[in-house]
Amino acid sequence: MKKYWHVIGIGLQSNLTYRFNYLTRTLFSFIPLFAMLSLWRTIYAGNGGKEPNGFTQAQMVFYYMLVAVVDVFTAVNEDDWQIAADIREGNISQFLLKPVDYLWYRLCLFFSGRIAFIMMAIVPLAIFIFCFRTYFVAPVNGIALAVFPFSLLLTALLQFFISYTMAMLAFWLLEISTFIFILFAFEYLASGHLFPLALLPSPLFHALLFTPFPYLLYFPISIYMGKIAGTDLWFGLAMQIGWVLLAYGCARFMWRRGIKKYSAFGG
């Protein structure tokens, strides 16, 4: 384990070198959120105060506040691009000769990147929350308070393993950017970034719950807000754990198959 703690330390030092980039990225990421909040305020003002699928205006604003929080803690930033570059440029050759597991190495770098990003984003995020502090509420109950951080960790792992698996396509394809963009676009819609998934027609919403995408954002937010509780909460948590394990298995499978295809140039 010492070597992986060392990787996290190196990753923190490397990421903090680019702290201005992190700060700039955080600031610009709030622009779409402000736009969405303005849009929903206009929608609520124009529909006579009706509540779509039980979301009050205050709850809708708070939902997007939590979107910002979950993104800061769990989003994958360029990890898939870096993994694909390691494969394409032959940098993974060294991991075939050393007692370092490449998946755990990249996972350590992912978490070090998240820690560095949180350190840079904490002030802009605090300002964002302060601007909308009247909408901020505590978790609905003790169960939500306890389960939300665990679900957040599962969300981060699921994000990483999916991105890692997608990056493994670089063993077979020279350029995987198209696949990454397609996955990102689908995630943005099906995970709840654009709007709460509960606003979708009921059959489509329940069908999506059997895919990994709601567990990348919508599910942990719904736990915090009390939109998912009781047996639905435990069923959803079991589904999230299941998708994390499946994504991990796919990541391992793609690595084993890819290594057989790999020609060790460079590195």
Side-chain angles (χ1 to χ4, degrees):
M1 286 299 297
K2 288 183 179 179
K3 56 190 174 186
Y4 295 113
W5 282 113
H6 184 62
V7 170
I8 292 176
I10 293 175
L12 277 172
Q13 294 175 26
S14 176
N15 281 288
L16 289 175
T17 303
Y18 305 100
R19 52 187 177 271
F20 180 75
N21 291 343
Y22 280 147
L23 182 61
T24 304
R25 182 183 299 170
T26 303
L27 292 174
F28 277 95
S29 68
F30 289 130
I31 295 177
L33 285 173
F34 278 109
M36 290 303 300
L37 291 174
S38 298
L39 173 63
W40 280 105
R41 281 177 170 176
T42 303
I43 291 173
Y44 276 96
N47 69 358
K50 294 181 181 178
E51 300 176 2
N53 275 19
F55 275 85
T56 65
Q57 181 176 343
Q59 287 176 330
M60 189 65 74
V61 172
F62 185 55
Y63 178 88
Y64 285 102
M65 292 172 65
L66 288 178
V67 167
V69 172
V70 173
D71 266 345
V72 166
F73 280 88
T74 67
V76 173
N77 289 328
E78 300 181 359
D79 292 80
D80 39 14
W81 300 101
Q82 293 171 7
I83 294 168
D86 280 349
I87 296 171
R88 187 171 55 252
E89 297 168 8
N91 294 330
I92 64 166
S93 298
Q94 58 185 309
F95 295 97
L96 304 179
L97 304 173
K98 298 177 181 179
V100 177
D101 187 300
Y102 186 69
L103 186 147
W104 292 110
Y105 167 78
R106 291 303 321 186
L107 185 61
C108 289
L109 290 182
F110 167 67
F111 279 118
S112 65
R114 286 298 85 208
I115 293 170
F117 191 80
I118 291 168
M119 292 169 64
M120 293 299 103
I122 192 68
V123 173
L125 183 63
I127 294 173
F128 174 75
I129 293 175
F130 179 79
C131 291
F132 296 93
R133 60 190 180 279
T134 55
Y135 298 100
F136 188 86
V137 295
V140 292
N141 52 46
I143 294 177
L145 178 62
V147 175
F148 174 71
F150 180 61
S151 180
L152 208 61
L153 174 61
L154 292 176
T155 293
L157 291 172
L158 185 57
Q159 289 261 20
F160 172 78
F161 290 139
I162 289 176
S163 296
Y164 183 94
T165 302
M166 181 63 65
M168 291 294 103
L169 292 175
F171 279 118
W172 293 271
L173 302 172
L174 183 62
E175 183 56 60
I176 65 169
S177 58
T178 301
F179 296 97
I180 292 176
F181 281 125
I182 291 173
L183 177 64
F184 174 77
F186 199 79
E187 281 184 6
Y188 196 79
L189 290 172
S191 66
H193 269 90
L194 195 58
F195 53 81
L197 296 182
L199 302 185
L200 292 170
S202 182
L204 179 58
F205 169 67
H206 286 95
L208 275 177
L209 292 179
F210 289 93
T211 72
F213 301 107
Y215 306 99
L216 298 175
L217 184 83
Y218 176 78
F219 181 71
I221 291 177
S222 297
I223 291 174
Y224 189 103
M225 297 182 66
K227 295 293 183 180
I228 295 179
T231 56
D232 289 338
L233 187 154
W234 302 116
F235 173 78
L237 199 61
M239 287 290 295
Q240 190 176 29
I241 293 172
W243 279 115
V244 169
L245 295 176
L246 182 60
Y248 173 77
C250 289
R252 287 295 190 188
F253 173 78
M254 291 290 284
W255 171 263
R256 289 194 297 268
R257 293 297 299 269
I259 287 300
K260 295 178 181 178
K261 179 77 174 177
Y262 177 66
S263 297
F265 298 108

